[in-house]
Amino acid sequence: MVSRVIPVDAFDLVIFGGTGDLARRKILPGLFRRYCAGQMPSNSRIVGAARSKLDGDGYRAFVTEAIHEFGGGRSCEDGTLESFLKQLDYVSIDARGEAGWDELADKIKDSKLVRAYYFSVGPSLFGDLAERLHLHGLADEDSRIVVEKPFGRDLETAKALNASLAEHFDENQIYRIDHYLGKETVQNLMAVRFGNMLFEPLWNAQYVDHIQITVAETVGVGGRGEYYDKSGAMRDMVQNHLMQLLCLIAMEPPAKFDPSAVRDEKLKVIRALDPVEPHQIVRGQYVTHDDSPSYRKAVNDPRSTTESFVALKVGISNWRWAGIPFYLRTGKMLAKRASEITVVFKQRNHSIFEEDELEHRNILSIRLQPDEGITLGVTIKEPGPGGMRLIDVPLDMSFAEALGEDGGDPPDAYERLIMDVIRGNQTLFMRGDEVEAAWAWTDPIIDGWTQRGEVPKPYDAGSDGPGDAEQMLARDGRSWRPISS
Ligand code: NAD
């Protein structure tokens, strides 16, 4: 099956931080793939804007290398890269000074195309960029800005960032990226919930036993040690990515699939989250037993108390979910790279089959990575003449298999989200009040650790995390889905 490519209007996209790591690995190769798919009209322009002193040719050489290295050219024909490069330009600019701004204004000011500014720079520059765009007459009401994570490190800093952007841009011009929301399966989660009759009637405390959300990485902190140590798994992953997944799983059906309706419902979930008690959280730090460095060595601080793993039991106080635990877990250096949402339904209340001694539960599992897909565990009769014995088997919908080659290689999250920016669709971006509400819930948890002087539990690299995380679920008579399965 070939996926439909919906055309977008021609655009000018300025990438501040256009020579950075994110631009090189994700944004530029992603744009090239959209170009190959016919989604970048020939009068569109991409302007890299960064501190490096490069000219247009130098930038095109940089982009060529990025595309070769990060696979942007996979589905493109010969000669297409050259024509893509013709639509690229570069300005050497200083976000905090005057250098380069007149040149940028000359290049784009009179253009009537859709205009978007991607702030692919550290958040400390967001306010400066907004201010300079305004001063140079580039912050007109039709333009859009895309901002990267981290959006603050607590409620106070998030509010300050929101305020600095709000000075020159309205909320409907601001696109706060959480690339998890751009994943095919995350959107499929909404399609499964709200596009089928089958699930929504069961999607509540009466039929669901509990829900697990796991985002497991096999890599350590790598070269980001210093940055990561100031952040930790709670700030880096839970406050944004896991929180967004939780919202989509738990929210009420919006009246329409439009930005305000969807984001209103997500916000209601965050506001209904219970405070988390200390016994509902396990923090961990990885320890290695080979040549790779343990967490504390990797961040160069033998006393670091930052967590590289966190598991939480979260409650949502509303009519639909009261009493149903949501177990969230994320960490580095775990057994396998796997992101999965699992909805475990309740045990049926009566069995008519005499020979059936086992517990059978329907489990809906939504894999975000790797191998995006959805599996529903159902109970059937064991084949053969052995009587009425029941077994659980998966009904598997792997997108790669079901949708053929094209469906198996869906656009990267960044590609999809950038195209949404051009279309002016904010549904899959976080609104300012959502981000602030998420920090308002997260802050007391982190403050509690500091006040109590809590030290994370060590866990072995390559494991499923600290044993305490297993025990937290065992106390409830439940267990985590093994990460390595
Ligand atoms: P980077 O350090 O690799 O690149 C920073 C870019 O900003 C460079 O192009 C640099 O020239 C430019 N820059 C720095 N100071 C400037 C100034 N005063 N004026 C103009 N340009 C300036 O950073 P990165 O890894 O590309 O990350 C960019 C943003 O994206 C950060 O907010 C980061 O947290 C976020 N992010 C990055 C990743 C990733 O995978 N790299 C993932 C998620 C979010």
Side-chain angles (χ1 to χ4, degrees), residues 23 46 75 80 127 134 146 187 201 275 283 299 376 412 418 440 458 473 476:
I46 298 167
S75 55
T80 320
H134 164 71
V146 185
Q187 290 165 67
R283 297 164 78 217
V299 302
L376 176 64
D412 176 74
I418 294 170
L473 265 71
D476 293 348

Side-chain angles (χ1 to χ4, degrees), residues 17 19-22 25 50-51 93-95 120-122 125 148-150:
T19 58
D21 179 63
L22 183 67
R25 285 191 308 112
R51 254 193 322 204
I93 211 163
D94 182 4
S120 181
V121 295
L125 294 181
E148 265 298 335
K149 80 163 205 181

